Amino acid sequence: KSLRNKDEELSKEQIEQDKKDDEKEQKQFREAVLCAIKAGYRHIDTAQAYRTEAIIGDAFKTLFAEKVVKREDIFITTKVGRKTRKPDDVRKSI
């Protein structure tokens, strides 16, 4: 959902700038995960609503490949959406 007023029109330039800002934030977040794990953190908390799971997964892929940390040394918690309550739906969502 957009947080913008529905009457507010976005220019092509605004849309492009939003995309660049999103990409920058994603790169910064990925770098933060890499730095945290390299500094000794071993617990990552995420949720579907945060929309960071793919970025975290990508960071861990790098960390595992570089042998910085092993999967069994990492503790990841996540939360599922309120409408996801049936066991099969929960499994699919994570």
Side-chain angles (χ1 to χ4, degrees):
K1 278 186 171 180
S2 173
L3 298 177
R4 297 184 188 275
N5 182 327
K6 65 181 177 182
D7 296 327
E8 182 181 359
E9 290 292 323
L10 292 176
S11 69
K12 186 175 181 177
E13 292 82 18
Q14 288 171 315
I15 292 170
E16 288 301 316
Q17 186 59 50
D18 283 351
K19 286 181 184 178
K20 287 179 185 177
D21 291 345
D22 287 348
E23 289 172 6
K24 182 179 177 183
E25 287 178 12
Q26 290 173 0
K27 287 178 184 177
Q28 289 173 336
F29 182 76
R30 182 181 183 280
E31 189 61 31
V33 172
L34 293 170
C35 289
I37 298 302
K38 289 177 181 179
Y41 286 84
R42 295 297 181 259
H43 177 223
I44 298 290
D45 179 54
T46 187
Q48 292 171 344
Y50 304 165
R51 299 183 317 181
T52 57
E53 293 167 317
I55 300 165
I56 291 168
D58 182 63
F60 276 115
K61 197 183 280 188
T62 298
L63 292 163
F64 297 151
E66 294 175 356
K67 300 194 186 308
V68 172
V69 69
K70 296 178 193 171
R71 173 61 185 96
E72 57 265 21
D73 297 329
I74 300 296
F75 184 70
I76 302 171
T77 55
T78 191
K79 280 93 49 205
V80 296
R82 289 188 172 151
K83 295 180 181 181
T84 308
R85 295 293 182 230
K86 294 178 184 175
D88 285 341
D89 293 340
V90 171
R91 283 185 200 94
K92 289 176 188 175
S93 75
I94 56 174

